[in-house]
Amino acid sequence: MNDSPVLRVRNLTRRFAAGVVLKSLDLTIERGEFVALLGRSGSGKTTLLRTLAGLDEVSEGDVQVSPESTVVYQEPRLFPWKRVWHNVALGVRTPDARRRAEAALGEVELAHRLNAWPLTLSGGEAQRVALARALIREPELLLLDEPFASLDALTRTRMQGLVGDLWARHRPAVLLVTHDIDEALLLADRVLVLSEGRLEADLRVDLPRPRDDGETRFVHLRRTLRTALGVTDKQAIAA
Amino acid sequence: MLDAVLAQGSRIGLGGNARTTTGQVAPRPRRALHLHLGSMRRLVSPLLLLAVWQAASSTGLVSAQTLASPLQIMLTARDLLNDGTLTHNLAVSLVRAGVGLGLAIVIGVSLALVAGLSRIGEDLVDAPIQMLRTIPVLALVPMFILWFGIGEMPKILLVTLGATFPIYLNLYKGIRAIDPKLLEAARTLGLTHGETVRHVILPGALPDLLVGLRFSVGISWLMLVVAEQVNANAGIGHMMMDAEDFLRTDIILVGMLVYALFGLASDQGVRLLERRLLVWRPQAHRRG
């Protein structure tokens, strides 16, 4: 095992016809590091994630991403014509793929849904299958694109706990794209704020886990991040 | 009239969509009972019509040369079955329809895969097919007789030609309509191109292929009706044309009945296939 970062971005610029979305961005993620990327909609976080996932071309700058990386999207994106275990095992080219898929599904507490069809799953279940599908690939880097955004509040809290546990157990590096400040502070070692194509803040979160969102330092960090995002307390309540 | 039916058939074939045509939900028990009564009620007027028809024939109001009576049709059907005429002609027709449709499936699926899976294929294949499909296939009957004579070849090829288009058009559309988000997922999961085609694109396009198949089956019978009435020496259509010479309206009507029954049966067959192959869709799941 080497110690080189799993992700290194230098001077990444991304232009669309409408303007510059990413402006000479630098970013490094070390092995096993949990990084959250905050940004308002339109800040370029989706563009950045798509570039890191290899879905968009890099035209300006240098991007090096570990080949052992995978993505969990906001929607589960399961293949509806494959049973749950097959969705997880798809593309796993070892003879014990099925057994590993079952183990991965066990880890996300879906051992009882192995043979279900994806369209019969609830939103939370489907997203857990998507997590298992990422997990089975033993990624060095896990890219999470607002994976909890379309879940209800209760399910979201449980999913956050699950992701925290899985990360603690398998230790992939994680880049979690989110617009939820508390989610970022609950899970991440480092929180980045992307604003108008630049990283405006890079905050270390040295709080012991599991974290308490009422604790003084947590509250302080939340306030700092709100300021960085340009959200006042009043706006936050209104939202 | 045939042209009109064909035009309508292919129009539906083009716009057909599996996701809307099978979006039925299994009825609950009480509704099923209600439906049962409803379908019983729906039988009343056809039965009444049959009775009037029989009465008109029996009283001599309608002569047998104009329209045979329902009873006569049944008796004729029995006779034709007993002396082997119907069975023989039916076998000939079934082979023509089966071989023609089989060829259409092979050709239609191959062309759709070429056009759907590669840009070059799309340019080379899709443009000529889109042009060809505007020609009414039945207008080609004289050409086919000139090219292929009057044997089995022109009849089978006519079926093939008519049935290829719905298969091609629906499968091609299905391949192109695969959710790009699923294709992205396949990429970020590290699937190879071959794996993506096999596990994502083909199963995703299968519902559309089956819609195409359903239209093709219907069109096969339609093409057969025309093909067999031109210079055939066997087949249901030939049997009907022969009967025309002897003013045997009963035999003609038996032939129509057979065509109708086979059209219905083959349509049910494809529906069954859909239920088997598309179990992953929740509605199909609940029903079967």
Side-chain angles (χ1 to χ4, degrees):
Chain A
M1 192 158 168
N2 58 35
D3 290 333
S4 64
V6 291
L7 181 148
R8 183 181 279 146
V9 174
R10 290 281 168 274
N11 223 358
L12 173 66
T13 297
R14 174 86 181 143
R15 297 168 206 275
F16 287 113
V20 187
V21 180
L22 298 174
K23 295 169 189 162
S24 55
L25 194 119
D26 291 332
L27 172 63
T28 303
I29 296 180
E30 302 295 338
R31 278 172 193 282
E33 197 180 19
F34 200 130
V35 178
L37 178 69
L38 281 171
R40 303 175 138 195
S41 38
S43 59
K45 54 188 197 303
T46 304
T47 307
L48 177 58
L49 186 118
R50 290 183 59 85
T51 308
L52 299 180
L55 295 171
D56 285 352
E57 300 282 312
V58 178
S59 50
E60 290 173 64
D62 180 44
V63 172
Q64 286 170 30
V65 184
S66 159
E68 313 284 306
S69 64
T70 190
V71 189
V72 175
Y73 301 90
Q74 184 174 337
E75 330 80 36
R77 301 197 184 184
L78 304 179
F79 305 115
W81 40 84
K82 301 271 180 210
R83 291 183 190 274
V84 161
W85 75 264
H86 203 171
N87 258 283
V88 175
L90 202 59
V92 178
R93 296 176 195 90
T94 57
D96 62 342
R98 175 160 192 164
R99 195 195 51 73
R100 283 176 56 200
E102 288 172 4
L105 283 161
E107 279 201 71
V108 297
E109 292 156 36
L110 279 175
H112 59 296
R113 298 293 262 151
L114 298 178
N115 285 313
W117 295 108
L119 293 181
T120 64
L121 301 177
S122 72
E125 284 175 330
Q127 200 57 303
R128 265 144 64 199
V129 176
L131 268 179
R133 186 168 70 169
L135 201 66
I136 195 176
R137 279 147 233 278
E138 294 172 348
E140 287 185 343
L141 173 65
L142 181 56
L143 299 164
L144 302 176
D145 184 11
E146 304 195 36
F148 318 125
S150 49
L151 301 175
D152 64 88
L154 214 64
T155 314
R156 191 183 312 149
T157 309
R158 283 184 53 198
M159 286 288 286
Q160 288 164 354
L162 181 63
V163 166
D165 289 348
L166 292 175
W167 171 75
R169 220 176 300 150
H170 299 274
R171 283 292 171 155
V174 178
L175 179 65
L176 168 68
V177 172
T178 176
H179 53 244
D180 182 337
I181 295 175
D182 278 25
E183 182 173 294
L185 287 173
L186 278 171
L187 290 169
D189 298 315
R190 245 168 92 199
V191 180
L192 313 173
V193 174
L194 188 66
S195 176
E196 295 181 357
R198 291 178 211 281
L199 287 178
E200 290 292 321
D202 186 343
L203 217 66
R204 202 147 275 289
V205 186
D206 280 325
L207 302 178
R209 291 182 167 94
R211 288 167 182 166
D212 173 5
D213 61 3
E215 202 214 343
T216 327
R217 280 181 297 169
F218 195 107
V219 174
H220 179 75
L221 282 167
R222 181 194 288 143
R223 194 172 301 135
T224 314
L225 286 171
R226 272 196 188 150
T227 313
L229 280 163
V231 189
T232 65
D233 280 354
K234 261 186 203 159
Q235 274 175 319
I237 291 162
Chain B
M1 196 211 79
L2 281 174
D3 276 318
V5 175
L6 184 66
Q8 194 191 17
S10 55
R11 199 168 339 118
I12 300 169
L14 303 183
N17 187 324
R19 277 147 207 133
T20 55
T21 49
T22 53
Q24 310 156 350
V25 179
R28 292 194 198 110
R30 200 180 302 164
R31 255 193 83 205
L33 184 69
H34 184 77
L35 278 179
H36 193 63
L37 283 176
S39 60
M40 295 274 274
R41 212 165 47 215
R42 287 173 62 83
L43 277 178
V44 171
S45 53
L47 285 175
L48 207 68
L49 216 63
L50 267 180
V52 171
W53 177 2
Q54 180 64 49
S57 296
S58 300
T59 56
L61 209 66
V62 177
S63 79
Q65 285 172 11
T66 311
L67 193 66
S69 75
L71 208 62
Q72 183 57 48
I73 296 170
M74 273 169 63
L75 292 174
T76 307
R78 199 197 56 194
D79 292 346
L80 289 174
L81 267 176
N82 284 343
D83 70 7
T85 315
L86 189 58
T87 335
H88 167 67
N89 287 311
L90 197 61
V92 171
S93 291
L94 273 177
V95 168
R96 286 176 187 150
V99 174
L101 182 64
L103 277 175
I105 293 173
V106 172
I107 297 171
V109 168
S110 312
L111 288 176
L113 289 181
V114 171
L117 296 178
S118 77
R119 287 282 160 200
I120 306 170
E122 182 185 7
D123 292 340
L124 289 180
V125 172
D126 194 52
I129 289 194
Q130 296 292 347
M131 283 182 234
L132 274 179
R133 80 179 173 86
T134 59
I135 302 173
V137 180
L138 293 179
L140 287 173
V141 171
M143 274 305 213
F144 269 49
I145 291 174
L146 276 179
W147 290 341
F148 306 111
I150 53 169
E152 290 303 291
M153 186 82 118
K155 299 171 182 64
I156 290 174
L157 288 184
L158 213 57
V159 171
T160 302
L161 190 66
T164 300
F165 290 112
I167 299 224
Y168 169 84
L169 293 170
N170 280 284
L171 180 57
Y172 173 70
K173 184 196 80 179
I175 291 174
R176 281 299 151 100
I178 298 281
D179 186 353
K181 289 183 169 181
L182 290 184
L183 295 177
E184 275 181 12
R187 252 176 91 181
T188 48
L189 288 171
L191 299 195
T192 62
H193 185 65
E195 283 172 330
T196 305
V197 170
R198 181 161 157 237
H199 296 293
V200 183
I201 296 177
L202 292 187
L206 186 62
D208 291 289
L209 172 63
L210 288 171
V211 169
L213 182 63
R214 221 155 90 196
F215 286 108
S216 286
V217 165
I219 287 178
S220 298
W221 289 110
L222 196 64
M223 301 307 291
L224 200 65
V225 172
V226 179
E228 288 191 334
Q229 292 184 0
V230 180
N231 283 316
N233 51 19
I236 297 295
H238 160 75
M239 188 183 83
M240 290 163 76
M241 289 310 283
D242 238 20
E244 188 196 327
D245 294 341
F246 302 99
L247 305 174
R248 289 288 300 273
T249 53
D250 51 343
I251 297 183
I252 296 180
L253 285 162
V254 168
M256 282 171 58
L257 211 63
V258 168
Y259 276 136
L261 284 176
F262 271 87
L264 198 69
S266 44
D267 193 62
Q268 288 299 315
V270 181
R271 277 171 195 269
L272 192 73
L273 205 62
E274 277 185 347
R275 272 204 288 274
R276 283 277 167 80
L277 292 176
L278 306 180
V279 279
W280 50 269
R281 293 203 291 200
Q283 55 269 50
H285 204 201
R286 246 175 279 139
R287 256 185 290 154

